Amino acid sequence: MAIGRPSPSSSQTPDPGAARRTSRARGIPEATVARLPLYLRALTALSERSVPTVSSEELAAAAGVNSAKLRKDFSYLGSYGTRGVGYDVEYLVYQISRELGLTQDWPVVIVGIGNLGHALANYGGFASRGFRVAALLDADPNVVGSTAAGLPVRHMDELEDIVVSQHVSIGVITTPPGAAQLVCDRLVEAGVTSILNFAPTVLTVPDGVDVRKVDLSIELQILAFHEQRKAGDEPAGDSVLDRAPGPVRAAAAKLRRAAGGGKSAEPAKNAPAAQGPEDDLSAVMPA
Amino acid sequence: MAIGRPSPSSSQTPDPGAARRTSRARGIPEATVARLPLYLRALTALSERSVPTVSSEELAAAAGVNSAKLRKDFSYLGSYGTRGVGYDVEYLVYQISRELGLTQDWPVVIVGIGNLGHALANYGGFASRGFRVAALLDADPNVVGSTAAGLPVRHMDELEDIVVSQHVSIGVITTPPGAAQLVCDRLVEAGVTSILNFAPTVLTVPDGVDVRKVDLSIELQILAFHEQRKAGDEPAGDSVLDRAPGPVRAAAAKLRRAAGGGKSAEPAKNAPAAQGPEDDLSAVMPA
DNA sequence: ATGCGTTTGTGAACGTGTGCACAAAGATGG
DNA sequence: CCATCTTTGTGCACACGTTCACAAACGCAT
């Protein structure tokens, strides 16, 4: 029945439930929360151009969303607009920043300084909006000495000390998939309660810990799906069987299983999907 | 009424509608499509361990989802399971691969070879599952000569030629935000119909073009929101006013606007959110 | 003051997604 | 061939998210 770890819930990004409970507590829907940063970015741009007020229609266009949706989103934060005029840009910037918790300082650790970790350390979006890279960590002794984005790469052994002493509550994982769960466990154990996971692995965490994942491969696969649809390329296969009624399917399934490990029938001819081994280790960090 | 560009729809990742139309055409819900790569990864791992069959319960645990959800997802693809036994791993790998369009070759161009573009070029997840980096492009002459991941970085001018001659239909944008829309337009013009955007900008594209975005800053902000909630740190502010009835709010709003550009009242004291200028240019690629 | 044009805030309808719970279907052992 | 056990496939109810449409609210000009 229970597979893998028993009690901890393996919540991931698109999972309602855990995250929902948190935000619905005082009413802001998760979908709205996910859009607030988008609005904030558009508002910041307006603020820099010294635009005093903006209508929901304009702001919605800038953020690429429906204007009614935007108004409803803002209504969850309170009523910060003026009918007939629009929204006060500066005030809204402040309100959203406050709601997102950006008026405080968020120290962040990045674990796994490969290509991606290195890129993230240099990423401007980290420095802005109250996020501060507290430390870069890696297990590889060859990397530990070096610096990235002006910061020294420190050894994994210092993880617990850093998290505790610097009050780090957000961790970013850019390790190879094999190491991700271990790193995650150590982060959580040390006190981190929010994790941004770039490794292509499902992380299992205790309740109360949020995990969001960013998976480049998944994004590409979703695009490929739609791309295939656009090309009118209905996947052929044995689609006649797929919806066949009753015992027909059963017989087919039995045959498939009987064919054994030798990738029988259709799959054998052209299936680059199941490519080389170690799909798990070659990703995210080559080294 | 119409703001910015008129006809092209600025579809983005979390937008139903455009993407929905495509996938609902023959019935697979978007939410299901987004989970298929997850199942595929878990199945590939099982396949490498030569596990012949797997139950929905086991696979669901490995993918971090509800087992009923998984079964329903698979039911959209057809009935590939056997009651009392489970699913044939190899066969399911093939079916999902086929449905996602991974049985064919997908040449991809990466535009903007800064830190992130460099990291993506080396990313193992690209090479796998039928995706192939067709070319790396950049506008900076200093970068154009170099190589990344064994591939030469070519100049933007070659974009159109490459897309056309290599039949590239998927483009990845890792440029600074300021250049993203221009690059996007050129990609689309050349024939690209799917774009993965890492630049923190809302891209506007014509109908029929899919855009998915990955924004690290947004992910962090969402985590910060939940983190703040966990800390029981109800944002204080003038929450009394927020839900005040009638004319009270109006007067307050009037005051805010009258205060002018000088970030009055609350915002002034501590608002690191509206930090240094050029939030738009320092992100994604420092160079 | 009054009326007019504009824009917010939200009620209501609809579509999508999720999860429970269970009947039907198949495997397996006697 | 029958009984039993396992697991799929799905009907159903509910929660969530989106969009329309419109009344109420506000500024402004007269």
Side-chain angles (χ1 to χ4, degrees):
Chain A
M1 187 185 174
I3 307 300
R5 305 175 179 218
S7 51
S9 75
S10 77
S11 72
Q12 220 69 6
T13 301
D15 179 25
R20 189 91 28 162
R21 254 171 278 137
T22 313
S23 62
R24 270 293 194 195
R26 208 190 96 217
I28 302 184
E30 188 60 22
T32 295
V33 173
R35 279 188 295 267
L36 290 181
L38 221 57
Y39 302 146
L40 184 56
R41 196 164 63 203
L43 285 164
T44 306
L46 290 172
S47 172
E48 278 163 17
R49 291 197 287 133
S50 299
V51 178
T53 61
V54 65
S55 73
S56 65
E57 203 78 32
E58 290 169 312
L59 188 53
V65 302
N66 183 293
S67 68
K69 198 192 301 193
L70 180 141
R71 288 197 299 275
K72 187 152 287 186
D73 283 343
F74 286 171
S75 78
Y76 291 115
L77 311 185
S79 299
Y80 298 138
T82 306
R83 294 169 194 233
V85 177
Y87 297 91
D88 183 276
V89 173
E90 294 296 335
Y91 190 65
L92 205 44
V93 163
Y94 168 68
Q95 289 298 343
I96 295 179
S97 295
R98 189 171 56 92
E99 197 67 44
L100 285 172
L102 306 182
T103 52
Q104 50 187 288
D105 183 63
W106 293 107
V108 171
V109 292
I110 303 177
V111 186
I113 313 302
N115 269 299
L116 187 55
H118 205 277
L120 293 192
N122 280 289
Y123 177 60
F126 265 97
S128 65
R129 309 221 183 279
F131 298 102
R132 177 173 54 81
V133 179
L136 307 176
L137 298 171
D138 204 294
D140 186 349
N142 293 24
V143 186
V144 172
S146 66
T147 68
L151 288 167
V153 179
R154 301 163 74 176
H155 194 269
M156 281 288 295
D157 291 347
E158 304 186 59
L159 188 150
E160 285 77 10
D161 284 347
I162 292 169
V163 168
V164 172
S165 68
Q166 304 226 29
H167 303 96
V168 175
S169 55
I170 300 178
V172 178
I173 298 179
T174 47
T175 66
Q181 183 64 60
L182 268 64
V183 167
C184 174
D185 291 344
R186 284 185 65 177
L187 285 170
V188 170
E189 182 65 28
V192 166
T193 47
S194 287
I195 289 177
L196 183 52
N197 180 31
F198 285 83
T201 319
V202 177
L203 292 181
T204 304
V205 294
D207 278 351
V209 177
D210 281 320
V211 176
R212 293 191 67 84
K213 69 165 192 294
V214 174
D215 192 313
L216 322 181
S217 177
I218 286 181
E219 298 299 322
L220 278 182
Q221 290 175 54
I222 295 171
L223 285 178
F225 171 85
H226 293 302
E227 200 59 37
Q228 177 173 249
R229 286 294 167 104
K230 284 181 221 163
D233 196 57
E234 308 264 339
D238 27 40
S239 43
V240 203
L241 267 178
D242 296 359
R243 289 290 179 185
V248 186
R249 283 190 8 237
K254 192 170 200 166
L255 276 176
R256 285 199 295 272
R257 290 202 308 280
K263 288 160 191 170
S264 75
E266 308 266 350
K269 62 180 180 187
N270 60 347
Q275 34 56 272
E278 293 310 275
D279 172 50
D280 247 10
L281 286 175
S282 62
V284 169
M285 223 177 69
Chain B
M1 190 188 188
I3 308 299
R5 305 174 180 220
S7 49
S9 74
S10 78
S11 72
Q12 219 69 6
T13 300
D15 179 25
R20 190 87 32 160
R21 253 171 281 138
T22 313
S23 63
R24 271 294 194 194
R26 208 190 96 215
I28 302 185
E30 189 61 23
T32 295
V33 173
R35 280 188 295 266
L36 289 182
L38 221 57
Y39 302 146
L40 184 55
R41 196 164 64 203
L43 285 165
T44 305
L46 290 173
S47 172
E48 278 162 19
R49 292 197 285 133
S50 298
V51 178
T53 62
V54 65
S55 72
S56 65
E57 203 80 32
E58 290 169 312
L59 187 53
V65 301
N66 182 293
S67 69
K69 198 191 302 192
L70 179 141
R71 288 196 299 274
K72 190 156 290 187
D73 284 342
F74 286 171
S75 78
Y76 290 116
L77 310 185
S79 298
Y80 298 140
T82 305
R83 297 174 195 229
V85 177
Y87 297 90
D88 182 276
V89 172
E90 293 297 335
Y91 190 65
L92 205 45
V93 163
Y94 168 68
Q95 289 298 343
I96 295 180
S97 296
R98 190 171 56 91
E99 198 68 44
L100 286 172
L102 306 182
T103 51
Q104 50 187 288
D105 183 62
W106 293 107
V108 171
V109 291
I110 303 177
V111 186
I113 313 301
N115 269 300
L116 186 55
H118 206 277
L120 293 191
N122 280 291
Y123 176 60
F126 265 98
S128 64
R129 307 221 185 281
F131 298 102
R132 176 174 54 83
V133 180
L136 307 175
L137 298 172
D138 203 296
D140 187 348
N142 294 25
V143 186
V144 170
S146 65
T147 67
L151 288 168
V153 178
R154 300 163 76 176
H155 193 268
M156 281 287 294
D157 292 346
E158 303 186 61
L159 189 150
E160 285 77 10
D161 284 346
I162 293 168
V163 168
V164 172
S165 68
Q166 304 227 27
H167 304 97
V168 176
S169 54
I170 300 178
V172 178
I173 298 179
T174 48
T175 66
Q181 183 65 59
L182 268 64
V183 167
C184 175
D185 290 344
R186 285 184 65 178
L187 285 171
V188 170
E189 183 65 28
V192 167
T193 47
S194 286
I195 290 176
L196 183 51
N197 180 31
F198 286 84
T201 319
V202 176
L203 292 181
T204 304
V205 294
D207 277 352
V209 177
D210 280 320
V211 177
R212 293 191 67 85
K213 69 165 193 295
V214 175
D215 193 314
L216 322 180
S217 177
I218 286 182
E219 298 299 323
L220 278 182
Q221 291 175 54
I222 295 171
L223 284 177
F225 170 86
H226 293 301
E227 200 59 38
Q228 176 173 249
R229 285 295 166 104
K230 284 182 222 164
D233 196 55
E234 309 264 338
D238 27 40
S239 44
V240 204
L241 267 178
D242 295 358
R243 289 291 178 184
V248 186
R249 285 193 3 242
K254 191 172 204 166
L255 276 176
R256 285 199 294 274
R257 289 202 307 278
K263 290 161 190 170
S264 75
E266 309 265 350
K269 61 180 182 187
N270 58 348
Q275 31 60 267
E278 293 313 272
D279 171 49
D280 246 13
L281 286 176
S282 63
V284 169
M285 222 176 68

